[in-house]
Amino acid sequence: MVKRATARDVAEQAGVSKWTVIRAFTPGASITETSRAKVMAVAEKLNYRPNLLARSLATNLTHQVAVLVDDFENPYKLSFLERLTLELQSEGLVAVLININEHFDHVHALLNADQRQLDAVVMCGTAFRTEMLQDVRLDGAAPMFVLARDSQIPGVPAINCDSTLAINELCRHLHGKGYRRPGFMAGAKTLSTALGRQRAFKAFWQLHGIDEVAELAAQSYSAASGAAAARRYLNEVSPADRIDVLLCENDVLAFGAMDVIRGEFGLKVPADIAVAGFDNTLFAAAPAYDLTTYEQPVEAMVKATVSMILGREPKVSVILPGRLVVRGSA
Amino acid sequence: MVKRATARDVAEQAGVSKWTVIRAFTPGASITETSRAKVMAVAEKLNYRPNLLARSLATNLTHQVAVLVDDFENPYKLSFLERLTLELQSEGLVAVLININEHFDHVHALLNADQRQLDAVVMCGTAFRTEMLQDVRLDGAAPMFVLARDSQIPGVPAINCDSTLAINELCRHLHGKGYRRPGFMAGAKTLSTALGRQRAFKAFWQLHGIDEVAELAAQSYSAASGAAAARRYLNEVSPADRIDVLLCENDVLAFGAMDVIRGEFGLKVPADIAVAGFDNTLFAAAPAYDLTTYEQPVEAMVKATVSMILGREPKVSVILPGRLVVRGSA
DNA sequence: TTGTATGCGTTATCAA
DNA sequence: TTGATAACGCATACAA
């Protein structure tokens, strides 16, 4: 194994001090063109490149950002991951991907990110409970950000889609289509985002003179849970009393619900029950589902997050408007 | 902003030298229990945790692994990402996720990983051309691994699914079901993996006395490409001459193909044309597709990769058997 | 077992 | 503009 060349190696061969070598690689440093050229020639020859690790130790900046993800089953996380890595890389940063699970929780991740001196922590749609933070002491720790979820943590900005606006736009569309017996399928009950959406949903219909809103509760944000919740509802409620439109908190839930509505109960979407989702994931556009849904402003959200990380924008919570995507399912 | 406590801070308060502090945090170091306890108490009080960055500089080990991904649209990459991060984390390693795209190619990524002193580089299913490596000089660089793809790079082990075996198992199943007019849909023509699969497909049917094999070429590995390829084929070939079974190189291609077969041509799957895929992605199990496919041994592949990274296994290419998943589509 | 000196490869600061 | 000294926080090797 060949050792990597260091600034000192270059300095020796170039006949200058190692600090001159450093300067040659420091944009805007005061150095003569002759020196720089001499250094660069030797550097090229020795294949020298600055050691970013050593630089980080000296500057207290790793240019690495922890990205916490806890549910890889949700395809919409992929779009966030893609945009986020892209945006970070274009700014010279890099994402350290941390998988949150039973064996490795948020506290683990935060401590780890702290010990590795990462510059920032982005919780990418992770289910986070404020209590988890109580026993952790992050003194000079990196700034945290909650992406695609509301933050209940004081001092931690949330960058989120305006879900109230979203729900209202969705509902206005559904109401305009003539649906009058609405149902809402929520995923995890505990999350504030979920509660907010459900509240906004009920408020809309109430405002339009409809007090009866069916609530289907799924256990989690998976197609199977969505299917189970739909199955339970359709079994319990007589056909005459059924909803005529179902808004799911999530595309994936909607897929599961549609599978059951059509496949197990032989009902038509949207004729018998219209279905709408949230996220506009890849498969929402597939003819098999053709799902009416709401798209989160992924790019804007990610850009906002990265701007805050870089300190270009104040670190405050931001709510951005998304986009209604009308398709055949509702 | 509070400064983080260092070993020296702890040493001063504990009345020992900083090396004793280091020892307290070094498993198996020779230190008395009293010293360790004293150190730990102060450490706890000061909230001291070793700076992994400084440790890395001293040990030449970052415990970070670059994971290169170039196509976030393919859901099966998610399963690899999930398993890989999981496995790495359980070994004290962490994944640095690098998004390969037009603005940030493999060479960029490799240089970046090198400068950051990452311990290993895993190319996770990325489309890589050997020529790209020609002008890069990675002297003391980290070992590279190609996951879920064949490696044409000398000295770079590939950890892959046995696609010949896979194709044979799939074909045996299809043949057993009675299909005799087979078609194969390939994604990118340039990839060796793709060529290998197609060759194995043709070889199987030839061996069973069938020389006529339709070849549908998709432009890329997306549902839209799969749809376009299927559309082109169905438009060109008269109903009497049509294939009765289509094996797609990829689940996503299969989804696109099914959408067109059923939605645009009103044909039944599998009655008119059976369809099979490859990868067993999340949606393959969805009733809307119910796709017969082949599952890559993700966990085994990832474990093998991590073992090599850790030096527990010799760094050689490995081919692992997957699992046929029979569903309703074929 | 404990303390000391030295090194990892860079950056920051000051002097020349 | 250049060289030198110190510092970043820890690990290794050696001496006490």
Side-chain angles (χ1 to χ4, degrees):
Chain A
M1 164 137 163
V2 192
K3 266 205 54 162
R4 271 180 269 244
T6 75
R8 205 166 75 156
D9 300 328
V10 177
E12 280 174 10
Q13 284 220 21
V16 297
S17 72
K18 62 174 178 174
W19 296 279
T20 304
V21 176
I22 302 286
R23 286 191 186 93
F25 281 88
T26 306
S30 57
I31 182 176
T32 55
E33 256 319 307
T34 31
S35 298
R36 156 166 274 135
K38 193 164 54 180
V39 167
M40 286 318 224
V42 178
E44 165 70 18
K45 181 181 150 213
L46 295 184
N47 197 25
Y48 165 79
R49 265 160 291 130
N51 181 331
L52 262 34
L53 197 54
R55 176 177 295 175
S56 292
L57 184 61
T59 56
N60 254 314
L61 244 47
T62 54
H63 298 286
Q64 292 190 335
V65 174
V67 177
L68 277 48
V69 179
D70 69 348
D71 179 13
F72 283 79
E73 295 230 329
N74 246 318
Y76 91 92
K77 301 240 168 127
L78 258 193
S79 31
F80 276 104
L81 263 188
E82 170 160 33
R83 288 302 316 178
L84 189 51
T85 48
L86 200 70
E87 208 66 43
L88 289 173
Q89 283 168 210
S90 77
E91 299 287 354
L93 302 178
V94 99
V96 172
L97 183 62
I98 300 187
N99 185 340
I100 303 293
N101 52 67
E102 316 89 81
H103 311 297
F104 206 96
D105 61 13
H106 280 86
V107 174
H108 255 73
L110 258 22
L111 291 178
N112 201 271
D114 184 46
Q115 284 196 260
R116 290 183 187 273
Q117 317 292 112
L118 303 193
D119 294 345
V121 175
V122 176
M123 309 202 282
C124 188
T126 60
F128 189 88
R129 292 195 310 278
T130 315
E131 310 87 76
M132 300 185 109
L133 257 185
Q134 283 175 340
D135 30 285
V136 203
R137 291 153 57 202
L138 275 351
D139 285 346
M144 290 170 51
F145 302 90
V146 172
L147 180 58
R149 211 158 237 156
D150 290 328
S151 162
Q152 306 95 320
I153 317 168
V156 176
I159 298 87
N160 208 350
C161 168
D162 187 339
S163 53
T164 305
L165 174 71
I167 295 292
N168 274 321
E169 282 194 36
L170 276 162
C171 287
R172 203 175 310 133
H173 166 74
L174 299 176
H175 187 267
K177 280 271 187 173
Y179 302 111
R180 292 295 181 271
R181 296 197 306 280
F184 185 84
M185 183 186 288
K189 270 273 184 191
T190 48
L191 286 129
S192 64
T193 317
L195 288 171
R197 291 183 185 177
Q198 184 149 6
R199 243 196 313 269
F201 186 81
K202 291 181 75 168
F204 175 92
W205 294 102
Q206 211 147 25
L207 204 69
H208 289 73
I210 296 174
D211 293 320
E212 189 114 353
V213 169
E215 295 178 15
L216 322 205
Q219 301 289 346
S220 69
Y221 292 99
S222 70
S225 296
R231 192 178 300 121
R232 205 178 318 123
Y233 172 80
L234 291 173
N235 275 328
E236 283 175 0
V237 179
S238 72
D241 297 331
R242 273 179 195 150
I243 54 175
D244 61 0
V245 62
L246 176 65
L247 176 57
C248 300
E249 210 196 308
N250 197 308
D251 276 6
V252 180
L253 289 175
F255 296 148
M258 283 178 80
D259 289 339
V260 166
I261 291 171
R262 298 186 300 196
E264 298 181 17
F265 288 81
L267 300 172
K268 297 270 178 211
V269 173
D272 297 315
I273 300 183
V275 177
F278 208 111
D279 284 343
N280 193 27
T281 47
L282 263 174
F283 282 86
Y289 292 108
D290 198 32
L291 186 70
T292 289
T293 183
Y294 195 87
E295 184 176 288
Q296 300 200 43
V298 179
E299 184 174 343
M301 289 168 70
V302 166
K303 275 193 195 291
T305 307
V306 174
S307 291
M308 290 188 206
I309 291 177
L310 294 171
R312 293 185 187 151
E313 302 277 345
K315 297 179 175 46
V316 290
S317 287
V318 168
I319 291 181
L320 298 163
R323 185 173 67 92
L324 177 68
V325 178
V326 178
R327 296 205 182 88
S329 71
Chain B
M1 164 139 162
V2 190
K3 265 206 59 165
R4 270 180 270 245
T6 74
R8 206 165 72 154
D9 300 328
V10 176
E12 281 175 8
Q13 285 219 22
V16 297
S17 72
K18 64 174 177 173
W19 295 278
T20 304
V21 175
I22 304 284
R23 286 191 185 93
F25 281 88
T26 307
S30 58
I31 182 176
T32 55
E33 257 317 308
T34 31
S35 296
R36 157 165 273 134
K38 193 164 55 179
V39 167
M40 287 317 222
V42 178
E44 164 69 18
K45 179 181 150 211
L46 295 184
N47 197 24
Y48 166 79
R49 266 159 290 129
N51 181 332
L52 295 183
L53 196 55
R55 176 178 294 175
S56 292
L57 184 61
T59 57
N60 256 314
L61 244 48
T62 54
H63 299 285
Q64 296 193 140
V65 174
V67 176
L68 277 49
V69 178
D70 69 348
D71 179 14
F72 284 77
E73 295 230 329
N74 246 318
Y76 91 93
K77 302 240 168 129
L78 258 193
S79 30
F80 276 103
L81 263 188
E82 170 160 33
R83 289 300 316 178
L84 189 52
T85 48
L86 201 70
E87 209 65 44
L88 288 173
Q89 282 169 210
S90 76
E91 298 288 353
L93 302 177
V94 99
V96 173
L97 183 61
I98 300 187
N99 185 341
I100 303 291
N101 52 66
E102 315 90 81
H103 311 298
F104 207 94
D105 61 13
H106 280 86
V107 174
H108 255 73
L110 256 24
L111 290 178
N112 202 270
D114 184 47
Q115 285 196 259
R116 289 183 190 274
Q117 316 293 108
L118 303 192
D119 294 344
V121 175
V122 176
M123 309 201 283
C124 188
T126 60
F128 189 87
R129 292 195 308 278
T130 315
E131 310 88 75
M132 300 186 112
L133 256 186
Q134 283 175 340
D135 30 283
V136 203
R137 291 153 55 204
L138 275 350
D139 284 346
M144 289 171 50
F145 303 90
V146 172
L147 180 58
R149 211 156 240 155
D150 290 328
S151 161
Q152 308 93 321
I153 316 167
V156 176
I159 297 88
N160 210 350
C161 168
D162 188 339
S163 55
T164 305
L165 173 71
I167 296 292
N168 275 320
E169 282 195 35
L170 276 162
C171 288
R172 202 174 311 133
H173 167 74
L174 299 176
H175 188 266
K177 281 271 188 172
Y179 303 111
R180 291 296 182 269
R181 297 198 304 282
F184 186 85
M185 182 185 289
K189 271 273 185 193
T190 47
L191 277 86
S192 65
T193 316
L195 288 170
R197 290 184 184 176
Q198 184 149 7
R199 244 197 311 270
F201 186 80
K202 290 182 76 169
F204 175 92
W205 293 101
Q206 211 147 26
L207 203 70
H208 290 73
I210 295 172
D211 294 321
E212 190 113 355
V213 170
E215 296 178 13
L216 321 205
Q219 302 289 347
S220 69
Y221 292 100
S222 69
S225 297
R231 192 178 299 120
R232 205 179 317 123
Y233 172 81
L234 291 173
N235 276 327
E236 282 174 359
V237 179
S238 73
D241 297 332
R242 272 178 195 151
I243 54 176
D244 62 359
V245 62
L246 176 65
L247 176 58
C248 300
E249 209 195 307
N250 196 307
D251 276 6
V252 180
L253 289 174
F255 296 147
M258 282 177 80
D259 288 338
V260 166
I261 291 172
R262 298 187 300 196
E264 298 182 16
F265 288 82
L267 300 172
K268 296 271 179 210
V269 173
D272 298 314
I273 300 182
V275 177
F278 207 109
D279 284 343
N280 193 28
T281 47
L282 262 174
F283 284 86
Y289 292 109
D290 198 31
L291 187 69
T292 289
T293 184
Y294 195 87
E295 185 176 288
Q296 300 199 43
V298 179
E299 185 174 344
M301 289 168 68
V302 166
K303 275 192 194 293
T305 307
V306 174
S307 292
M308 290 187 206
I309 290 176
L310 295 171
R312 293 187 188 151
E313 302 277 346
K315 296 179 176 48
V316 291
S317 287
V318 168
I319 292 181
L320 298 164
R323 184 174 67 94
L324 177 67
V325 178
V326 178
R327 295 204 182 88
S329 72

